[in-house]
């Protein structure tokens, strides 16, 4: 039995972020799937692990942590000597740039892309009506962010430099879902962003997450 346990759903964006990191680092884990439809994430036993009732949660021995980006950073740091060096821990300048672009993902990229995925994909799954005004507004915001990315990726293969890092990896799950919507053109219309996306989404770690989810 794996020492590391992850509570979540295989293809929820935040759970996928954690699973991709664990696989990239070569860490064995056990996924404990929660049924959100019946409210398993709101039960006292789970709220004792995650007081906000959200997924995922990671247990590693006597440590229990939540928030997917924090979990990914913990995994990348604890297992820094195996798998891909996602934090560039041996180079303080490169590590600082990785931190900058992980913050960009969280603060600039995630708000508009998560809104778009909700409006264009999630609502339809539940029979809800898409708010086109929100789509238009968030598309404009994400487009401006992606213009910055396009310029950055003209100079570097990846966001933090010419090396794959946590900064790139954190983008994968939500972008994967965006690419299933009409807003995919926000990615494909920018050649360097498109090439970057095709590169990071084809990594074996994320492909394994997809394969496991569909098994």
């Amino acid at each position: 039995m794996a020492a590391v346990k992850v509570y979540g759903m295989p293809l929820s964006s935040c759970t996928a972020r954690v699973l991709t990191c664990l696989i990239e680092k070569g860490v064995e884990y056990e996924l404990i799937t929660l049924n959100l439809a019946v409210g398993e994430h709101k039960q006292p036993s789970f709220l004792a692990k995650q007081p906000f009732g959200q997924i995922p949660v990671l247990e590693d021995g006597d440590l229990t942590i939540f928030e997917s980006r924090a979990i990914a950073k913990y995994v990348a740091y604890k297992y820094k000597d195996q798998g891909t060096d996602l934090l560039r821990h041996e180079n303080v300048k490169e590590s600082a740039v990785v931190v900058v672009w992980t913050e960009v993902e969280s603060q600039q990229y995630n708000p508009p892309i998560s809104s778009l995925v909700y409006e264009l994909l999630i609502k339809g799954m539940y029979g809800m009506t898409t708010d086109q005004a929100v789509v238009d507004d968030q598309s404009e915001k994400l487009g401006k962010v992606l213009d910055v990315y396009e310029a950055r990726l003209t100079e570097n293969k990846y966001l933090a430099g010419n090396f794959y890092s946590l900064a790139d990896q954190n983008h994968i799950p939500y972008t994967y879902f965006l690419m299933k919507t009409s807003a995919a053109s926000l990615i494909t219309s920018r050649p360097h962003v498109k090439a970057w996306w095709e590169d990071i989404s084809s990594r074996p770690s994320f492909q394994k997450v997809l394969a496991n989810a569909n098994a």
Side-chain angles (χ1 to χ4, degrees):
M1 181 178 295
V4 173
K5 296 180 180 180
V6 178
Y7 296 79
M9 293 178 63
L11 265 187
S12 83
S13 57
C14 293
T15 304
R17 180 177 292 117
V18 170
L19 300 182
T20 302
C21 189
L22 286 164
I23 296 169
E24 190 78 34
K25 296 301 291 181
V27 180
E28 292 188 6
Y29 66 90
E30 177 187 1
L31 175 62
I32 300 171
T33 302
L34 297 183
N35 187 339
L36 305 191
V38 299
E40 288 185 350
H41 57 309
K42 301 299 184 182
Q43 297 304 309
S45 59
F46 185 74
L47 291 173
K49 306 177 191 298
Q50 216 291 18
F52 301 103
Q54 298 172 328
I55 57 172
V57 165
L58 179 139
E59 289 183 343
D60 187 5
D62 61 357
L63 175 69
T64 300
I65 55 175
F66 52 90
E67 294 295 343
S68 64
R69 292 171 182 80
I71 295 171
K73 187 174 182 179
Y74 163 76
V75 170
Y77 181 77
K78 178 176 180 180
Y79 299 98
K80 61 186 179 183
D81 295 324
Q82 68 186 64
T84 304
D85 182 3
L86 295 172
L87 298 176
R88 308 299 285 186
H89 68 279
E90 293 184 349
N91 186 313
V92 67
K93 291 183 179 180
E94 290 180 349
S95 180
V97 180
V98 171
V99 171
V100 168
W101 285 94
T102 57
E103 286 296 308
V104 171
E105 184 277 327
S106 174
Q107 302 300 318
Q108 303 293 332
Y109 188 84
N110 187 70
I113 197 172
S114 59
S115 294
L116 285 170
V117 170
Y118 177 71
E119 288 293 335
L120 295 172
L121 193 65
I122 305 301
K123 275 190 169 182
M125 294 169 61
Y126 292 94
M128 302 165 67
T129 302
T130 297
D131 187 330
Q132 190 59 44
V134 172
V135 171
D136 293 343
D137 179 60
Q138 297 303 313
S139 294
E140 181 180 0
K141 289 179 179 178
L142 183 58
K144 290 178 179 178
V145 174
L146 288 171
D147 286 341
V148 174
Y149 280 40
E150 181 68 13
R152 175 71 177 173
L153 293 166
T154 301
E155 301 175 352
N156 301 277
K157 185 175 182 180
Y158 300 102
L159 289 174
N162 289 314
F163 51 83
Y164 178 79
S165 74
L166 193 64
D168 307 291
Q169 187 169 275
N170 279 353
H171 288 76
I172 295 176
Y174 263 117
T175 311
Y176 170 76
F177 288 115
L178 183 77
M179 297 304 289
K180 294 182 174 295
T181 75
S182 58
S185 59
L186 289 166
I187 301 293
T188 59
S189 64
R190 294 168 170 85
H192 291 89
V193 172
K194 179 176 181 287
W196 166 75
W197 167 246
E198 290 173 349
D199 182 324
I200 65 174
S201 62
S202 66
R203 290 183 74 86
S205 54
F206 183 61
Q207 290 301 311
K208 187 172 182 179
V209 170
L210 294 179
N212 289 344
N214 294 321

